[in-house]
Amino acid sequence: MAIIKPFRGILYNPQKVNPHDVMCPPYDIISEELRESLYEKSPYNVVRIDYGKNSKEEDKYTLARKYLESWLKEGILIQDKHPCFYGYEIEYSYKNKAKKLRGVIGLIKLEELGKGVYPHEQTYAKPKADRLNLMKSCMANTSIIFSIYRSKKRITSQIIENQSSPFIQARDLNGNIHKLYRICSDTDINAIVEDFREKPIFIADGHHRYEVALEFKREMSALYPNQKDAAWNYVLMFLSNIEDDGYLILPTHRMVSTSMPIREALKANENLFDITEVSPSEDLLDIIEQMGPCHFGLYINSKAYILRYKGPVPEHLPEELRKLDVTILEEVILQRIFPKREVCYDIDIERGLRMIREGKCDALFLLRATDVEDIERVALAGLRMPPKSTYFYPKLLTGMIINSFRENL
């Protein structure tokens, strides 16, 4: 299904910069405060390209292009002379358990979604406009799409595991260690290409970036109809094997603000729920994880509750979506019971509780993590979960590699 190929990656030159100082998180989790900190960290931090600021004279997209071009001229960034695949490994820990995420970075041929590459979440229009403007200005993929695939033979996984000497290594803001390996032998390249030939790919993190790449391809193909294999027909992607069990899917919780009294509104719909009060000192997320599907955590002021959905299956939804916790929370609890509401999203429960204490939201609804099998099932059915249904961890670093659409730099 998927067509993957090697490419001439653009990498930071570790002889000229400290890799720890020039990388940044994905743009969509960078706050204004963090962006300022990254600007101060290094004059060569990639945030200036991928998520920059306007100056008095020029917009951020023009500045991004100028940074990319000047850093290449200065040798801060270097482009490989020959096409390679790139092994990417992240050493991290979660709940005091050491883990490794591994995958391969290559170029995936752009296809309409549902034809080899499958989304699983809905997207928003505003981030796509920003990413498209950046791509047009830089003529490059400046950050990596995170995708997953399933291969029981683990051919590509074994090639990555056999790499020994990373070209570049960097530590992220959480202390995780990121390593990038060049994979340039013809034997390994051919094996990777063959390994992906019949594999469906599921976008984990980067739906907006893939849809933007598709739009850019359409625009460029209209301008240059005869360039069927032009660089803009491909997109930069990291692919991790589900069978390696290297990543985590964390739940994204909902912080709700509404003029309605939440406890009373839920009580009025007690035919849909059992509501049980528990001690606020209990680990609410752990409780609902153990209880299984259709259980939700809820904090209101200083009180904590377990909600068990017992109502009817939402028959108006496709079968693949009906029993998902995130669908029940969005379609039944939030939309039906609280039609007038504002919702914020976060994986950090403590931050949500702090917002309640500070009067910035009225309640915090906790979700269990979405299973990868649910992602595969929904995606292959051509459907999408609500936005913020999944949070893949750890996050890839922006700046580890860039893909240019220009042939000669």
Side-chain angles (χ1 to χ4, degrees):
M1 288 184 178
I3 297 176
I4 188 171
K5 74 173 186 177
F7 67 107
R8 296 169 57 216
I10 295 174
L11 313 163
Y12 272 104
N13 184 349
Q15 303 301 316
K16 292 203 171 186
V17 296
N18 183 339
H20 307 304
D21 295 336
V22 295
M23 309 294 177
C24 77
Y27 74 97
D28 54 353
I29 60 172
I30 297 178
S31 64
E32 293 295 322
E33 182 181 14
L34 177 56
R35 181 163 60 179
E36 291 299 325
S37 174
L38 293 167
Y39 261 74
E40 294 174 6
K41 197 170 186 179
S42 169
Y44 300 113
N45 192 287
V46 74
V47 74
R48 285 173 163 79
I49 294 174
D50 195 60
Y51 193 52
K53 302 182 295 184
N54 297 328
S55 71
K56 292 181 180 178
E57 296 81 18
E58 296 174 299
D59 65 44
K60 60 184 180 181
Y61 307 113
T62 302
L63 289 170
R65 183 183 70 250
K66 289 186 174 181
Y67 283 126
L68 179 58
E69 291 172 350
S70 66
W71 295 353
L72 281 162
K73 288 178 182 178
E74 294 172 40
I76 302 299
L77 293 172
I78 52 178
Q79 185 176 34
D80 279 338
K81 294 181 179 179
H82 305 287
C84 300
F85 286 120
Y86 300 86
Y88 189 171
E89 177 183 273
I90 307 175
E91 298 175 359
Y92 70 104
S93 64
Y94 184 75
K95 293 186 176 181
N96 298 318
K97 182 179 180 181
K99 290 181 71 69
K100 283 187 180 181
L101 168 64
R102 290 191 180 102
V104 65
I105 298 174
L107 299 186
I108 291 292
K109 189 169 185 180
L110 285 160
E111 302 287 355
E112 293 299 323
L113 287 167
K115 295 183 178 180
V117 178
Y118 297 86
H120 76 272
E121 277 188 350
Q122 299 170 18
T123 57
Y124 300 105
K126 186 176 179 180
K128 287 190 281 190
D130 170 66
R131 295 293 97 183
L132 184 58
N133 287 333
L134 180 64
M135 188 176 291
K136 287 179 176 179
S137 184
C138 291
M139 289 293 287
N141 302 129
T142 57
S143 59
I144 314 167
I145 295 171
F146 184 163
S147 295
I148 55 177
Y149 69 102
R150 189 180 291 277
S151 174
K152 294 187 180 296
K153 292 183 178 179
R154 301 186 66 253
I155 293 171
T156 299
S157 300
Q158 291 171 24
I159 291 172
I160 298 165
E161 289 169 7
N162 290 334
Q163 303 304 308
S164 58
S165 181
F167 172 74
I168 200 163
Q169 178 173 310
R171 187 184 301 272
D172 68 22
L173 300 176
N174 295 317
N176 304 325
I177 301 297
H178 298 244
K179 300 177 182 180
L180 191 79
Y181 304 87
R182 288 185 172 117
I183 301 173
C184 301
S185 79
D186 289 342
T187 300
D188 287 344
I189 287 173
N190 291 335
I192 291 171
V193 170
E194 286 301 314
D195 192 28
F196 278 91
R197 199 171 296 281
E198 299 299 327
K199 302 288 190 303
I201 290 171
F202 305 96
I203 299 173
D205 193 354
H207 289 78
H208 293 97
R209 278 163 278 177
Y210 191 90
E211 291 180 10
V212 163
L214 272 176
E215 177 58 31
F216 185 75
K217 172 194 170 184
R218 294 185 194 107
E219 293 184 13
M220 296 300 287
S221 296
L223 292 172
Y224 306 98
N226 296 323
Q227 296 193 30
K228 301 298 183 183
D229 202 45
W232 51 76
N233 290 301
Y234 295 81
V235 68
L236 181 65
M237 191 175 285
F238 166 85
L239 298 124
S240 182
N241 191 347
I242 295 169
E243 297 292 332
D244 292 348
D245 192 30
Y247 56 83
L248 296 173
I249 304 175
L250 303 179
T252 306
H253 310 298
R254 271 61 174 161
M255 294 167 284
V256 177
S257 299
T258 177
S259 59
M260 300 177 66
I262 290 178
R263 181 69 179 84
E264 288 75 5
L266 291 171
K267 188 71 174 175
N269 289 272
E270 59 185 5
N271 61 310
L272 299 177
F273 309 97
D274 286 331
I275 305 176
T276 306
E277 185 172 352
V278 297
S279 169
S281 63
E282 298 257 24
D283 187 334
L284 215 53
L285 183 57
D286 187 57
I287 292 173
I288 63 173
E289 288 282 6
Q290 293 184 35
M291 287 182 165
C294 298
H295 288 87
F296 307 90
L298 172 63
Y299 289 101
I300 308 173
N301 297 322
S302 60
K303 294 188 175 181
Y305 304 88
I306 300 292
L307 299 183
R308 183 181 72 87
Y309 181 69
K310 61 181 182 181
V313 173
E315 296 287 350
H316 66 288
L317 295 175
E319 183 177 352
E320 292 82 1
L321 295 173
R322 290 174 188 169
K323 295 181 180 180
L324 297 178
D325 284 359
V326 66
T327 303
I328 292 171
L329 180 59
E330 291 282 346
E331 295 281 339
V332 179
I333 300 178
L334 298 184
Q335 291 187 24
R336 186 184 302 179
I337 301 177
F338 304 103
K340 294 182 179 180
R341 70 200 179 279
E342 292 184 4
V343 181
C344 297
Y345 306 89
D346 209 312
I347 64 168
D348 190 329
I349 295 173
E350 288 302 317
R351 189 153 46 224
L353 293 174
R354 187 164 60 248
M355 289 183 67
I356 292 176
R357 291 194 296 269
E358 294 172 355
K360 295 179 180 178
C361 71
D362 298 305
L364 172 63
F365 287 88
L366 303 190
L367 274 166
R368 297 183 317 114
T370 302
D371 293 332
V372 70
E373 290 80 10
D374 289 327
I375 293 172
E376 290 178 281
R377 185 168 55 253
V378 169
L380 289 173
L383 302 169
R384 299 206 194 191
M385 300 177 186
K388 308 295 183 182
S389 293
T390 57
Y391 187 98
F392 279 80
Y393 186 84
K395 295 296 184 183
L396 309 179
L397 276 176
T398 300
M400 291 295 280
I401 195 161
I402 292 172
N403 170 50
S404 176
F405 303 144
R406 295 186 173 96
E407 293 299 326
N408 298 302
L409 297 173

